[in-house]
Amino acid sequence: MSFIKKHSRLNISKQELEPFALIEPNKNYTRNLIATDDETFTLLLLCWNPGKYSPVHDHPCNGCWMRVCQGVVNEVRYEKKERTILPPIEEDDADNGTKVCDDDVTFSSSSSPSPITTSFECTEDTTFKEGEQTYIHDNLGYHKVGNPSDTLSISMHLYSPPFSKCKIWMDPNDSSRSSTSRMCNFSEYGRYIVKEN
């Protein structure tokens, strides 16, 4: 039996999750560690504040299984697309090797090569309800996740193996500019993490 089928049969009550559902209203979401062996898996409970999302990010592991435990969670998947920035057309070029692309973008064949940029193109936009689940891996694309509703949403995430950092993109229109984000848990095993100053 596949992991997804086993995962869908998992029956966890909200009372069992309550000790791990720690929330911070000033954050988009909180990462609350439920369990890990630091080698093969990490199980987290993410609490999503209303209207808040993660940035677009990757998964430097074997992917992420996500199950909605309360409310709704929206997942927007992307793939990187290269695009060419075309130079402006000079009037003199109109009769001199000008071509028209399928999408009616005009460029001059006599000009020097144009710079290429990359951006994200949305491939899926799905909202999952309580009890529903999904899986993401980099070969399926990158994604951002969040809470499109006006009430708290909670999702459980299983990563295998655990990872300590990932790439994030703050501007989906420019996928060539990523940052590295370190994974910081808001709580571990039902206890707040005290940050030292």
Side-chain angles (χ1 to χ4, degrees), residues 63-76:
C64 171
W65 292 265
M66 179 188 80
R67 182 175 182 172
V68 179
C69 302
Q70 177 181 313
V72 295
V73 175
N74 178 235
E75 178 194 38
V76 183

Side-chain angles (χ1 to χ4, degrees), residues 89-103:
I89 296 296
E90 301 290 330
E91 285 188 32
D92 294 345
D93 289 335
D95 298 321
N96 189 12
T98 301
K99 297 179 182 176
V100 177
C101 298
D102 290 341
D103 56 1

Side-chain angles (χ1 to χ4, degrees), residues 105-165:
V105 176
T106 306
F107 67 96
S108 170
S109 60
S110 62
S111 64
S112 60
S114 302
I116 295 175
T117 64
T118 56
S119 63
F120 285 112
E121 180 177 287
C122 178
T123 59
E124 287 183 53
D125 187 337
T126 309
T127 299
F128 297 94
K129 296 179 274 192
E130 189 171 321
E132 294 181 331
Q133 59 194 6
T134 188
Y135 171 77
I136 185 72
H137 187 279
D138 284 355
N139 65 3
L140 301 172
Y142 305 97
H143 75 171
K144 71 176 180 181
V145 178
N147 178 359
S149 76
D150 58 2
T151 59
L152 179 73
S153 291
I154 298 174
S155 55
M156 186 182 301
H157 298 243
L158 177 64
Y159 302 95
S160 177
F163 63 95
S164 60
K165 58 187 175 181

